[in-house]
Amino acid sequence: VVKEWVRSRESKPIKPVRVNSSPCQEVVHERNINIGEILPIPYQYRGDAAPFINSAVVVVKDPKTKTYNASFNRMQLHGGNRLGIQLVINMDLFFIQKEAEKRGEPVEIAALISPDPYLFLAAATRLPRELDEIEYAGALAGSPVELIPCKTVDLEVPASAEIVLEGRIPPNTYVEEGPMGEVLQYYGSTSTKPIFEVTAITHRKRPILEALLTGTIEDHVLCGVPMEAEMLPILQRMAPCVRNMSVLPFFLIAVIEVEDFEPTQRGIGKNIAMAALSHPWIKIAVVVNKDVNIYDTEDVLWAIATRVDFDRDIVRVPDTFGFPLDEMKESRDAPITRMGIDATVDPRHRRRFERARPRGFEKIKLGDYLG
């Protein structure tokens, strides 16, 4: 999956095409909008303050770059046509809103529920602000995204959606938002967030409202796989011995697999770990040899327990910017300490660390026994 994603990521962006009609506008609500009556927004966790829309892809046209940006932003139901919207610090929509607020202007946005999967994946990918994420979704799909004009805002949005909420984020208008069961399986704090004033809701005649159960593997896959596609080529350019990496099932921890390297490269595991820790969301980076299954947590823990000298093989990097929702931070803007673990075998002693395998292990075919 990651290799194919990398190939698509490096493909030429594909410009979208415009269409005049779409099933996502079969039903239109423009007057007396009551979001909670129109949409069955789920109430997921026991301590949630209210129902939340947590799987919508928010589309905005960046006034600075003239490109489309897509992102995931949780939204809390506040009654009527108002939603509180979380703008993650240091992400594109956060900057777009702050810049518009300084000008005293609203930000027109559209929130898409259940769009084409490629837009879903593009919205989860960290890209330079000047790149158009709808064109990037086209590159992932290998074909152009179809766009349709919104009814009440000056935006064009992917026509594949089941439901579209149109509206604006007005300047200097905030509301108490949270708590909600978040991506790290904690509720997080209550704080003031901007308001999303919905001016129209359009949807198919029998729409499907897709939701994510935050903090679970379905959430972490969405965050993690784009991170792998972003990081793997960088690590491989820095150290060609890197074979693969995984940030699943929990995307704050990266496990990197390397080929056996020569004695002249002793210590390369620490270099690779530090390179992985440069990603703002990675808190722990573990580097292992190719005989360790990076997708098996038990195998990774075995490597840490049997191949790590904790005086020599641990790297600590204090006072670094980390994942904004990390509850270990004293405040949202507080730094964190990261850790790199070199769990690779010293190439001078490789024979001592040959894993004991059952005789004929490589020839075993499970199908011979299971039929």
Side-chain angles (χ1 to χ4, degrees), residues 20-65:
N20 295 321
S21 63
S22 165
C24 74
Q25 293 182 346
E26 286 175 333
V27 180
V28 179
H29 306 268
E30 290 189 57
R31 295 184 179 182
N32 303 318
I33 294 173
N34 188 318
I35 301 167
E37 290 182 358
I38 297 171
L39 302 178
I41 302 171
Y43 213 132
Q44 290 189 326
Y45 285 110
R46 299 173 187 176
D48 286 357
F52 280 84
I53 298 174
N54 58 18
S55 66
V57 173
V58 175
V59 172
V60 60
K61 192 164 189 178
D62 190 335
K64 179 181 287 187
T65 65

Side-chain angles (χ1 to χ4, degrees), residues 18 55 199 217 223 232 300 339:
R18 276 71 185 179
S55 66
T199 54
I217 189 66
C223 297
L232 185 59
V300 174
M339 181 172 66

Side-chain angles (χ1 to χ4, degrees), residues 224-259:
V225 177
M227 287 173 61
E228 294 171 2
E230 178 184 9
M231 294 173 64
L232 185 59
I234 296 171
L235 295 179
Q236 289 176 328
R237 282 194 292 270
M238 189 276 297
C241 62
V242 172
R243 286 176 49 143
N244 203 356
M245 70 170 296
S246 174
V247 295
L248 298 177
F250 193 63
F251 66 86
L252 295 188
I253 302 174
V255 184
I256 301 110
E257 174 190 348
V258 298
E259 293 275 9

